[in-house]
Amino acid sequence: MIKTVCIFCGSSSTQRKKSSFKKEHGEIAKNIGRGLALKKIKIIYGGANVGLMGIMADEAIKNNGEVIGIAMKSFKSWGVLHKKISKMYLVSTLQKRKELMYKKSDAFIVLPGGIGTIDEAFDVIATNILTKSVKPLIILNYKTFWNKLIELLDTNIKQKYSKKEIKDNINVTTSIDKIFTIINNS
């Protein structure tokens, strides 16, 4: 049974006072935060108060969700740490951050995001394979956002650099409802 889900998503916020992400991605983040909170599923995430990360955390908090941030100590000086979440872990390296996220989570959801989100998703895939773990990774491929990433995995398998088993714990969906179905059935 999944009790704790780690969310990987964008932290980019604004560029010249204009949102740097699509408004509909913000709605996705809200729906995920609200949905997990209402299901009493604990949320682990990167600890920021900006971008999709901040939107998701705010919505979960608004719906009485338990939200735990895992951030690097350097984020403190950047002024992006969320101050209203349930708990915050500050670590010294990116690797320690990802290790703690993995350790504390039963499953992972990948929303739209940048290089950090891609890094976190691949870290889960590699950790699952190397530790023979079965923690689900759910990729929300909303409006084909992650098509190239999925294509890269398929190409890597086709060219025999990875075994097809790397995809055993990866679920790709275009639907938020399907995310909750996967969580309920895991």
Side-chain angles (χ1 to χ4, degrees):
M1 180 177 188
I2 292 177
K3 296 180 181 178
T4 305
V5 171
C6 185
I7 309 294
F8 301 137
C9 60
S11 62
S12 293
S13 184
T14 57
Q15 294 175 345
R16 296 192 178 108
K17 297 186 181 179
K18 183 180 178 201
S19 181
S20 61
F21 54 83
K22 293 185 177 194
K23 189 174 183 176
E24 57 196 325
H25 292 175
E27 289 303 313
I28 290 167
K30 279 185 181 181
N31 288 334
I32 294 294
R34 181 184 321 109
L36 291 171
L38 294 174
K39 291 183 174 295
K40 304 292 183 216
I41 296 174
K42 189 186 310 181
I43 297 170
I44 306 287
Y45 86 117
N49 61 4
V50 294
L52 299 181
M53 289 171 57
I55 291 170
M56 182 278 305
D58 288 343
E59 191 66 20
I61 292 164
K62 190 184 337 180
N63 288 279
N64 300 312
E66 186 175 354
V67 182
I68 298 170
I70 302 176
M72 290 179 50
K73 291 176 184 175
S74 60
F75 290 10
K76 197 172 187 178
S77 63
W78 298 355
V80 297
L81 292 178
H82 206 298
K83 293 179 175 32
K84 296 179 182 173
I85 60 176
S86 311
K87 187 170 189 169
M88 178 72 75
Y89 292 93
L90 295 176
V91 296
S92 55
T93 67
L94 187 58
Q95 194 58 38
K96 287 187 187 308
R97 181 180 186 221
K98 292 185 291 184
E99 285 173 21
L100 193 54
M101 286 174 154
Y102 190 87
K103 180 180 174 185
K104 292 194 166 292
S105 303
D106 300 321
F108 305 86
I109 298 172
V110 181
L111 302 181
I115 194 69
T117 304
I118 294 167
D119 176 53
E120 291 160 339
F122 274 99
D123 200 70
V124 169
I125 294 167
T127 303
N128 272 343
I129 289 294
L130 296 173
T131 64
K132 299 188 185 313
S133 296
V134 292
K135 293 185 179 187
L137 177 73
I138 306 163
I139 300 173
L140 180 64
N141 192 25
Y142 180 77
K143 291 189 176 177
T144 69
F145 187 89
W146 292 116
N147 269 10
K148 294 292 183 185
L149 181 88
I150 296 159
E151 186 180 313
L152 174 63
L153 288 171
D154 291 338
T155 299
N156 195 261
I157 292 166
K158 185 178 178 183
Q159 293 182 2
K160 305 212 184 295
Y161 284 100
S162 293
K163 295 180 180 175
K164 64 181 179 183
E165 289 79 15
I166 69 167
K167 291 180 73 178
D168 285 353
N169 297 316
I170 301 172
N171 297 278
V172 179
T173 182
T174 58
S175 159
I176 292 172
D177 290 339
K178 179 76 176 182
I179 289 173
F180 290 109
T181 300
I182 294 166
I183 288 171
N184 290 337
N185 293 333
S186 294

